Amino acid sequence: MDVITRHLGEFGDGLLITVELTLLSLAGALVAGVIVAAMRVSPVAALRAAGTAYVETLQNIPLLVWLVLAVFGLPEIGVMAGLFTTAVIVISLYQGAYMAEAVRSGINAVPVGQGEAARALGLTFTQSLRMVILPQALRTVVQPLGNIAIMTIMNTALAAAVGVVELTAAANRVNLAEAQPIWIFVTAGLLYMALSACAGLTTGALERKLAILR
Amino acid sequence: MIEVRGLNKRFGDSRPTSVHALRDVDLDVAKGEVVVVIGPSGSGKSTLCRCLNRLENPTSGEIRIDGRPLPAEGRELARLRADVGMVFQSFNLFQHKTVLDNLTLAPMKVRGVGRAEAERTAHELLDRVGIGEQAAKLPAQLSGGQQQRAAIARALAMRPKAMLFDEPTSALDPEMVGEVLDVMTSLARDGMTMVVVTHEMGFARKVADRVVFMADGEVVETGTPEAFFDSPATDRARDFLAKVLSH
Ligand SMILES: Nc1ncnc2c1ncn2[C@@H]1O[C@H](COP(=O)(O)OP(=O)(O)OP(=O)(O)O)[C@@H](O)[C@H]1O
Ligand SMILES: [Mg+2]
């Protein structure tokens, strides 16, 4: 157990970076997801095609490949960003594809009459989406979005592979010094479980609070 | 106010199963006139109603509202729709908003009315349709009849030049039909231009200036309620009336 207490600082720093990566990526993913979902239901064929292409491209290449590509590729095209920032952007865009699919299923679950009533009142397509459809759609997909949030927490571990010292990388560093992999990685694992438990509790609370009476 | 010329609507045009829902429909609705559209199920009544504010895209033909052709899409269309209120069979109140917010949303976002004024108008309209006490409730907390009256008030909040009703009482329990028809009757008395699709023959007889009878996507007969109900000119109208009036 001393291995852990002796390296509390490292674990704490790693955990903090993991939490920051997660929260920033989730915020980014939600924005990307809503925009892409809106594109996929838009009346403009070109936007729909672009939305579909986005989801297909992002989902069909592993996140690790995207991370490595971004870390080495972005400087090539003149974009200089820190490792942490690069990781946040890549994870946001990647998880955004999954968010988009979840949000789109929520949009499809809103009765068509809601959008028709909105447009019949003179709201434009964008206004009806923003003020009538999306608020209802998002409420119905709190649970799937919560699952994506947990998936995002787990996926931040891949940032370790491109040099971001988050929880997994921190554990690895401690292990290099102490050579006690079981204790060290069980601890890291428990911390990840605690984070996803928080996500689960938040999801449950949100779902109860936002449920729409029908 | 509303002019329809040679309106055609085909669903699934390219497929062999395509449905010719409207065939060369002509229709004129004068300002202040109440036109009741009746006809058997599948005759195209809803499709006609929905074409009038372009919730459905006509295949061909011309629709003019107040002398202006109905624009194809975009902001122009949105502006025109704002002038034509629509009431649906299934109410379609915004489920996540209170009754009051249902009434204020479009006036504020489309007309640019301030919140205070929008709420004042909303309360007036809710009082007028008899559900002033329900303003703070969510739609799901209201009875069907109350929801439909709220939906009518929501359409009126835009101060429309004309109102379209697509079977506004068909989804209601029988004891609530009257309260909705009463609201529509008083609207008609106040001079609103109305197109009403309904199976309520009593309402048609009492309130309509003109009855339009549709079958198989065509306007088969049109006339005053007295002429239509007492001496229909076509066999199809006679058959239809025999069926609906027999019980
Ligand atoms: N979205 C659609 N896609 C394909 N066919 C449709 C669609 N909407 C309506 N139709 C068809 O068009 C025809 C006219 O339908 P419409 O709903 O206008 O009839 P209606 O007179 O309103 O009938 P009801 O009294 O049952 O409401 C029907 O044959 C119907 O099946
Ligand atoms: Mg119908």
Side-chain angles (χ1 to χ4, degrees):
Chain A
M1 267 323 273
D2 313 343
V3 251
I4 310 301
T5 44
R6 249 183 289 130
H7 295 280
L8 273 184
E10 280 108 313
F11 276 106
D13 292 346
L15 183 64
L16 191 63
I17 297 291
T18 291
V19 169
E20 286 173 7
L21 263 181
T22 302
L23 292 179
L24 291 171
S25 301
L26 275 180
L30 192 60
V31 173
V34 167
I35 292 173
V36 173
M39 287 167 71
R40 293 199 74 179
V41 299
S42 105
V44 184
L47 287 179
R48 281 201 304 275
T52 309
Y54 178 93
V55 171
E56 293 300 327
T57 315
L58 270 292
Q59 284 190 344
N60 290 317
I61 294 176
L63 176 55
L64 185 55
V65 173
W66 283 120
L67 281 166
V68 175
L69 260 178
V71 167
F72 293 104
L74 286 183
E76 289 285 317
I77 57 168
V79 181
M80 292 298 170
L83 288 176
F84 180 83
T85 312
T86 307
V88 167
I89 292 169
V90 172
I91 298 173
S92 293
L93 295 177
Y94 182 81
Q95 298 296 352
Y98 289 87
M99 289 274 191
E101 288 302 88
V103 172
R104 188 168 67 110
S105 78
I107 291 176
N108 290 337
V110 176
V112 285
Q114 296 286 307
E116 289 185 345
R119 275 176 289 136
L121 283 166
L123 296 171
T124 62
F125 176 81
T126 323
Q127 284 177 321
S128 7
L129 198 61
R130 197 157 52 81
M131 298 163 194
V132 175
I133 315 275
L134 274 176
Q136 297 186 55
L138 289 174
R139 283 166 159 95
T140 65
V141 293
V142 172
Q143 197 59 53
L145 292 189
N147 291 338
I148 294 173
I150 290 173
M151 177 185 170
T152 308
I153 300 175
M154 302 307 140
N155 277 342
T156 57
L158 289 172
V162 293
V164 177
V165 189
E166 41 64 77
L167 183 54
T168 302
N172 204 30
R173 282 189 178 185
V174 174
N175 188 45
L176 286 178
E178 301 282 351
Q180 295 216 43
I182 309 284
W183 278 117
I184 290 166
F185 281 97
V186 163
T187 304
L190 289 174
L191 289 171
Y192 278 111
M193 280 180 81
L195 287 183
S196 69
C198 291
L201 289 175
T202 312
T203 308
L206 272 179
E207 194 161 51
R208 276 188 302 282
K209 185 155 169 276
L210 296 178
I212 315 180
L213 209 53
R214 281 200 192 280
Chain B
M1 164 72 47
I2 302 175
E3 295 165 72
V4 178
R5 289 291 171 273
L7 183 64
N8 277 277
K9 173 67 189 179
R10 277 196 207 81
F11 287 105
D13 224 352
S14 49
R15 274 170 284 135
T17 55
S18 86
V19 179
H20 203 164
L22 293 176
R23 300 163 189 266
D24 296 320
V25 170
D26 295 338
L27 178 71
D28 283 280
V29 183
K31 192 162 168 24
E33 194 180 20
V34 177
V35 171
V36 168
V37 181
I38 62 179
S41 180
S43 55
K45 307 179 299 290
S46 296
T47 307
L48 172 62
C49 223
R50 292 164 58 83
C51 281
L52 290 181
N53 66 356
R54 243 179 202 275
L55 282 179
E56 219 67 79
N57 259 325
T59 307
S60 66
E62 207 181 328
I63 299 171
R64 286 168 175 277
I65 309 272
D66 236 1
R68 283 190 299 165
L70 210 55
E73 54 201 83
R75 283 189 179 280
E76 272 300 294
L77 176 61
R79 205 166 308 141
L80 209 131
R81 277 176 177 153
D83 288 339
V84 182
M86 179 142 187
V87 176
F88 301 83
Q89 181 175 348
S90 49
F91 329 137
N92 295 343
L93 290 171
F94 305 136
Q95 297 291 322
H96 62 306
K97 290 188 178 294
T98 63
V99 170
L100 187 70
D101 290 344
N102 264 274
L103 267 71
T104 56
L105 178 72
M108 285 165 55
K109 300 298 177 185
V110 177
R111 297 260 193 252
V113 174
R115 176 175 294 280
E117 190 191 336
E119 290 192 350
R120 191 159 1 97
T121 313
H123 282 295
E124 275 167 30
L125 286 167
L126 288 174
D127 286 338
R128 178 164 161 201
V129 301
I131 51 171
E133 284 81 68
Q134 318 295 336
K137 290 192 183 163
L138 288 169
Q141 295 169 307
L142 268 54
S143 74
Q146 290 172 328
Q147 288 193 50
Q148 193 60 298
R149 285 185 281 157
I152 294 173
R154 176 176 70 178
L156 291 175
M158 293 299 284
R159 308 206 177 281
K161 295 177 184 154
M163 292 271 286
L164 311 172
F165 295 82
D166 188 7
E167 300 200 26
T169 58
S170 298
L172 296 176
D173 290 338
E175 79 265 24
M176 294 171 188
V177 169
E179 64 196 45
V180 171
L181 292 180
D182 286 345
V183 169
M184 291 167 60
T185 305
S186 82
L187 210 57
R189 300 266 181 271
D190 291 348
M192 177 60 80
T193 308
M194 293 164 62
V195 174
V196 184
V197 175
T198 186
H199 292 295
E200 297 295 330
M201 297 303 149
F203 175 85
R205 210 181 243 284
K206 195 165 60 125
V207 182
D209 295 310
R210 198 147 49 88
V211 173
V212 170
F213 173 70
M214 290 185 70
D216 299 326
E218 289 173 311
V219 173
V220 175
E221 199 172 326
T222 165
T224 61
E226 299 76 43
F228 178 77
F229 286 109
D230 300 337
S231 48
T234 58
D235 287 342
R236 276 200 280 190
R238 261 192 295 279
D239 281 355
F240 176 76
L241 286 175
K243 278 193 202 110
V244 293
L245 298 177
S246 67
H247 359 240

